Amino acid sequence: MIKIGIIGYGFMGHEHMTMLSDFDGIKVTAVCDIDPEQLADAPADVKHYAGAKELVADSEVDVVLIVANNNQHLQLVKLAAEAKKDIICEKPLALSIEDLEEMERVVAEHGVKFTVHQQRRFDPDFRTAKAVFDAGTLGDVYTVQSGLYGFNGNMHDWHIYPEQGGGMLYDWGVHLIDQMLFMIPGKVKTVFADVRNVINEQVDDYFKILLRFESGITAEIELGTYFLRDNTDKWFERHWFLGGNKGSAYLDGFDPKGSIARTTQLLTNVGGSRTMTAAGPTRSFGPPPAGRIVTEPLPEVHTEHRNYFENYVKAYHGEEEFLVKIPEVKRVLKLMDAARESARTMKSVDFE
Ligand SMILES: NC(=O)c1ccc[n+]([C@@H]2O[C@H](COP(=O)([O-])OP(=O)(O)OC[C@H]3O[C@@H](n4cnc5c(N)ncnc54)[C@H](O)[C@@H]3O)[C@@H](O)[C@H]2O)c1
């Protein structure tokens, strides 16, 4: 049984407690928060501590799960490693490459296990897009788009303060970039990006990142929190698009709806029938000849966030590797730096 101590019992600390309260191979034995009010509803059979120092001194804790504000991660990783506790840290692991390298040093010095909670590798929308990509049925994929848009104009709590590690790149950007790099193999040659503070003065609340892979694939990641919209029940939009030379895949929503459109016969030079649109006649953008396009359902993918901790338990006991490796986390952080540089200079940045 792996005994876990949770450091930081806010929104995500509670989520972890709920998931791990009944989990094969894991038992939460302790929890701490610097804000005593946060511990008011912590389970009574789990030890409560007022701070991380007391928690890491507990011999009933094997692994600490760091779920405090982003700017606390460095000092908490050091504290835990020095106490010889294995570590799972929430994303974003570090706010800079220097911080991440300091973590790597201290973790190596004390020989503790170290990984990051990037459970969005198990999101259904992402896994479905990845299954389509991996199946190869779209032919040569040349473009992949991942978009997430909020329509209520909301960024909350400490996420609006740069000194706490706020901003959408650190918040969702880490996940969306990680997903893209986990799906598309090979080097990223260039990064071109816009990272913007649309209404927040101090932190980014919009980004668009274009990655050009050595393989030729272009990946686009776009997120906005201020795409306002009214009179709708839809308060966010999540989509994926994958385009290949033999097919396209459209996915909409976190529980994705959509389809794959394919052809067994490439639609080259099929005669120019005219279609009238409100903007005049077109030949390229009219309907395809009858019978050429086959639509297929999206693959059924069984995935859930619990899979992250299932991997953790097996990897902890040496039965498989930790899914999320520190060099992968570092690559995402470097890519975020390149995106910021590109946004600042308005130029593309050479990457790998
Ligand atoms: N993986 C995900 O999907 C996901 C989702 C949400 C948040 N997170 C991450 O979880 C972390 C926490 O985010 P949140 O939304 O729960 O924030 P939150 O503000 O709701 O909770 C953070 C808690 O940590 C406590 N805290 C701060 N410093 C501390 C310290 N030094 N020692 C002990 N407790 C401390 C705060 O008092 C607070 O209760 C962040 O790193 C965030 O990026 C990850």
Side-chain angles (χ1 to χ4, degrees):
M1 188 65 74
I2 305 169
K3 293 181 237 97
I4 288 192
I6 297 177
I7 301 182
Y9 200 54
F11 166 78
M12 200 58 196
H14 279 74
E15 290 294 307
H16 283 300
M17 185 68 90
T18 303
M19 177 175 296
L20 298 176
S21 64
D22 175 23
F23 204 95
D24 271 356
I26 291 181
K27 182 171 171 34
V28 178
T29 51
V31 62
C32 79
D33 202 294
I34 48 173
D35 176 357
E37 284 184 18
Q38 295 282 43
L39 295 174
D41 61 353
D45 61 343
V46 165
K47 282 182 253 181
H48 300 188
Y49 292 113
K53 272 193 187 135
E54 295 90 318
L55 183 138
V56 300
D58 187 336
S59 62
E60 290 278 289
V61 170
D62 306 318
V63 177
V64 299
L65 178 49
I66 298 173
V67 203
N69 309 34
N70 296 346
N71 65 339
Q72 299 294 303
H73 294 182
L74 174 61
Q75 59 122 344
L76 292 170
V77 165
K78 286 164 76 175
L79 185 76
E82 282 158 8
K84 302 270 189 251
K85 301 296 181 190
D86 296 315
I87 301 164
I88 307 171
C89 186
E90 262 302 345
K91 50 52 59 174
L93 174 60
L95 300 179
S96 68
I97 293 293
E98 294 73 37
D99 285 5
L100 194 153
E101 288 177 344
E102 198 173 335
M103 292 176 181
E104 281 180 305
R105 269 195 301 278
V106 71
V107 160
E109 185 185 338
H110 295 283
V112 298
K113 298 182 177 73
F114 187 34
T115 187
V116 180
H117 186 242
Q118 293 272 176
Q119 87 290 12
R120 293 205 176 278
R121 287 193 187 181
F122 294 103
D123 281 2
D125 59 287
F126 164 64
R127 280 288 169 156
T128 307
K130 183 171 168 5
V132 175
F133 182 91
D134 290 346
T137 46
L138 303 182
D140 292 332
V141 172
Y142 56 90
T143 179
V144 179
Q145 296 167 11
S146 159
L148 178 60
Y149 308 104
F151 301 134
N152 64 12
N154 185 30
M155 271 180 67
H156 56 88
D157 304 314
W158 52 265
H159 288 285
I160 61 169
Y161 303 118
E163 61 278 11
Q164 308 251 351
M168 272 292 148
L169 253 187
Y170 281 135
D171 191 14
W172 270 87
V174 193
H175 287 301
L176 302 185
I177 296 169
D178 181 69
Q179 289 177 342
M180 206 58 102
L181 297 185
F182 191 56
M183 173 157 72
I184 304 176
K187 289 183 181 169
V188 174
K189 295 307 286 180
T190 54
V191 177
F192 183 74
D194 183 12
V195 181
R196 215 172 258 263
N197 306 0
V198 176
I199 72 149
N200 279 279
E201 284 177 14
Q202 300 186 61
V203 296
D204 61 277
D205 47 32
Y206 170 84
F207 55 81
K208 185 199 279 280
I209 302 172
L210 284 175
L211 309 178
R212 204 70 216 283
F213 284 77
E214 193 168 45
S215 61
I217 296 176
T218 300
E220 179 187 310
I221 304 166
E222 185 173 48
L223 174 147
T225 54
Y226 289 96
F227 282 37
L228 306 183
R229 194 153 87 178
D230 200 0
N231 294 325
T232 173
D233 289 336
K234 194 170 180 182
W235 292 113
F236 69 87
E237 189 172 302
R238 174 74 174 125
H239 79 254
W240 288 87
F241 172 75
L242 291 84
N245 63 357
K246 291 197 175 153
S248 305
Y250 300 83
L251 290 79
D252 179 27
F254 284 115
D255 179 13
K257 306 284 175 278
S259 62
I260 296 170
R262 291 207 299 134
T263 174
T264 47
Q265 189 180 348
L266 294 182
L267 299 177
T268 47
N269 250 345
V270 284
S273 65
R274 254 165 126 258
T275 302
M276 187 51 85
T277 75
T282 179
R283 287 167 296 172
S284 299
F285 296 98
R292 291 279 178 88
I293 302 289
V294 207
T295 57
E296 296 168 355
L298 295 172
E300 259 189 52
V301 173
H302 300 286
T303 179
E304 51 182 344
H305 289 171
R306 290 178 76 83
N307 299 148
Y308 174 86
F309 283 104
E310 285 163 4
N311 162 258
Y312 188 83
V313 172
K314 288 191 180 138
Y316 192 85
H317 297 299
E319 292 160 25
E320 52 189 58
E321 291 190 347
F322 286 117
L323 182 71
V324 182
K325 299 171 184 63
I326 302 304
E328 295 169 341
V329 173
K330 199 173 191 176
R331 188 176 181 222
V332 172
L333 197 54
K334 280 187 177 160
L335 205 149
M336 280 162 52
D337 281 350
R340 288 196 183 94
E341 185 188 335
S342 171
R344 198 176 56 249
T345 59
M346 296 188 174
K347 292 187 171 147
S348 77
V349 172
D350 288 344
F351 195 58
E352 292 169 329

